[in-house]
Amino acid sequence: VEKVVTDTTRSPRKGEKDKIDYNFVSREYFTENINKYIEYNEYNNNLYGSNSMRINKVLESGKDCLICLDINGARALKEYYGAKVNVFFIDREVSKVYAAIDARVDNGEISKEESVSRKNQVLIDIESKTDSVVDMVVDNNGTIEKTIMTFKDLLSV
């Protein structure tokens, strides 16, 4: 299984690394290459998308891809690739997600106003776990090691 890193036009946050967390690209690059994205969305005035060439390169090598997406991206990939795509919803307690958002406010990564918008989006995102495109819900309320083991079991890795 190989992770395919998605593109974004936003600036890296503290600790994020280019080509590991995201491919950080300019808005100009993104819009000029829009036809290379299987799916893309805009959040908080930043574009995010999955580059089809990177996905196809991994698939052509005989490996499976792991891509972190929202429900819209998952729908687009499922529509494009069909049964080759399995969608896992990573479920987490709202209070834990809110605490992570509050920590970003505290360390100056995002504004208080942006945190309100993000918290509202969390509630919308949680509803998507019942979407018909979701194949399985994975509990991420324990340790990261436990979640990784769940994925390994599901993927027979």
Side-chain angles (χ1 to χ4, degrees), residues 61-73:
S61 76
K63 294 180 181 176
D64 291 327
C65 295
L66 175 65
I67 308 171
C68 298
L69 301 170
D70 68 0
I71 195 68
N72 297 314

Side-chain angles (χ1 to χ4, degrees), residues 20-142:
I20 294 174
D21 299 294
Y22 285 98
N23 294 302
F24 295 99
V25 300
S26 69
R27 180 173 278 274
E28 180 182 18
Y29 172 88
F30 199 108
T31 55
E32 286 176 1
N33 292 281
I34 203 79
N35 63 333
K36 294 180 181 171
Y37 294 97
I38 291 177
E39 62 83 27
Y40 62 91
N41 282 298
E42 186 165 2
Y43 296 107
N44 297 317
N45 298 315
N46 295 299
L47 296 166
Y48 295 80
S50 301
N51 184 299
S52 62
M53 294 185 317
R54 279 189 224 112
I55 295 169
N56 290 334
K57 182 178 175 183
V58 172
L59 293 175
E60 288 166 6
S61 76
K63 294 180 181 176
D64 291 327
C65 295
L66 175 65
I67 308 171
C68 298
L69 301 170
D70 68 0
I71 195 68
N72 297 314
R75 267 194 216 104
L77 261 64
K78 193 102 168 187
E79 184 175 313
Y80 187 85
Y81 288 107
K84 291 182 181 180
V85 172
N86 289 303
V87 176
F88 299 96
F89 182 92
I90 309 303
D91 198 17
R92 205 162 166 217
E93 291 176 21
V94 173
S95 62
K96 290 181 179 182
V97 179
Y98 280 9
I101 293 169
D102 290 340
R104 285 186 170 171
V105 172
D106 293 344
N107 70 23
E109 285 181 48
I110 63 172
S111 68
K112 186 73 172 167
E113 294 77 25
E114 189 175 346
S115 76
V116 172
S117 168
R118 287 177 182 251
K119 287 178 180 179
N120 288 334
Q121 186 63 46
V122 166
L123 298 176
I124 294 166
D125 290 345
I126 287 171
E127 290 177 18
S128 66
K129 74 179 172 185
T130 61
D131 191 288
S132 62
V133 76
V134 174
D135 296 303
M136 183 165 295
V137 177
V138 177
D139 180 22
N140 188 31
N141 288 304

